[in-house]
Amino acid sequence: MGEWTNGCSTGTAAGDHVDVTAHEGTGAHSHSTGSDDIATGDSDDDAPYRPPHDPYANVCDEPALCPAAIPQADDPTPGPTPAPGVSMSDLTSFYPSKPRASSEPDGWTVVGLDTNFMTDATVHTATGRLLNQQASVRFTPVGFVWDYGDGQRATTRTAGASWASLRVAEFSPTPTSHAYAATGTYDVQVIVVYTARYRLGSGAWRDVTGTLSLSAPTLKVIASDATTVLVRRDCAADPRGPGC
């Protein structure tokens, strides 16, 4: 996964590894080097997908974090404590849950018909230490970059959903579906883009500067023609079968 460049924090993902940096502030920022399964997963990706541009150029276009009021010189009452500014590079001990990709039909499809893809990425919260305090970080998936393995890519705002939950027939097009033009085995990848909010203790939730991108393990899909998929059946015997 390439850099997300819009003057904000950037996140990169190689297989199951998360790496975040930031352009905010001064001095060098450290990279995430967590030791859990996300940082040390056994993804079968030969190389991370590098999108040609940042489809989320407006994700970071948010005002500065809660600037504190400055008391007047003649005001004896001290003003509120400024909220600490936090960027993705500060979250070295926090990781979003590893996303997983799936497809309908499961692992196979019919050439020329839509294959429905989805991920299980959802809003979730991780806990740990931040700024020397107990903290919670809430990760929210805001975008999905799909590589269907045949040279076609798509960017969506939805994680996808099953045909049943969408109340549509099998092989119907969906916001995340894709139709293959030729038989073969395809390696499908999806990169999930997250924003984050944090709070110290039981304090108020505050925005984290930047985004973080994490790739799901590669999903293999076998595309066959309709006669191969039907095997012993034909459309006369099973008019509702794939490709009929």
Side-chain angles (χ1 to χ4, degrees):
M1 175 71 182
E3 296 182 347
W4 300 87
T5 56
N6 60 329
C8 300
S9 300
T10 62
T12 58
D16 299 330
H17 177 70
V18 180
D19 189 18
V20 292
T21 59
H23 296 298
E24 298 290 327
T26 60
H29 293 283
S30 61
H31 294 273
S32 296
T33 56
S35 59
D36 60 12
D37 61 346
I38 290 182
T40 60
D42 55 352
S43 171
D44 54 0
D45 298 340
D46 294 329
Y49 162 60
R50 184 180 297 275
H53 66 282
D54 180 5
Y56 302 99
N58 63 346
V59 168
C60 301
D61 293 340
E62 298 184 12
L65 298 177
C66 305
I70 300 176
Q72 300 297 320
D74 56 354
D75 185 355
T77 303
T81 302
V86 173
S87 65
M88 284 293 179
S89 62
D90 298 310
L91 305 183
T92 55
S93 62
F94 297 85
Y95 294 93
S97 299
K98 181 190 300 183
R100 298 281 178 178
S102 59
S103 67
E104 291 181 319
D106 185 11
W108 63 274
T109 190
V110 179
V111 170
L113 299 182
D114 277 270
T115 310
N116 189 30
F117 293 99
M118 65 203 85
T119 76
D120 60 358
T122 59
V123 178
H124 59 283
T125 302
T127 59
R129 302 287 295 180
L130 179 64
L131 304 177
N132 295 320
Q133 300 183 55
Q134 187 67 24
S136 301
V137 176
R138 180 180 295 161
F139 293 100
T140 301
V142 295
F144 306 85
V145 182
W146 303 87
D147 185 336
Y148 296 115
D150 61 349
Q152 299 298 311
R153 299 179 178 88
T155 299
T156 69
R157 295 285 181 179
T158 176
S162 68
W163 283 314
S165 64
L166 294 173
R167 297 184 178 181
V168 297
E170 292 183 347
F171 299 101
S172 295
T174 70
T176 57
S177 67
H178 178 67
Y180 292 96
T183 61
T185 300
Y186 298 95
D187 292 335
V188 180
Q189 294 178 310
V190 59
I191 295 173
V192 182
V193 182
Y194 294 92
T195 57
R197 307 193 80 200
Y198 78 97
R199 70 176 179 181
L200 303 177
S202 58
W205 287 98
R206 303 184 186 278
D207 293 332
V208 176
T209 302
T211 60
L212 182 150
S213 300
L214 181 62
S215 61
T218 299
L219 175 69
K220 289 188 178 296
V221 174
I222 300 174
S224 303
D225 56 38
T227 56
T228 303
V229 173
L230 286 170
V231 189
R232 294 190 182 93
R233 293 177 178 267
D234 58 31
C235 289
D238 186 9
R240 298 184 62 186
C244 297

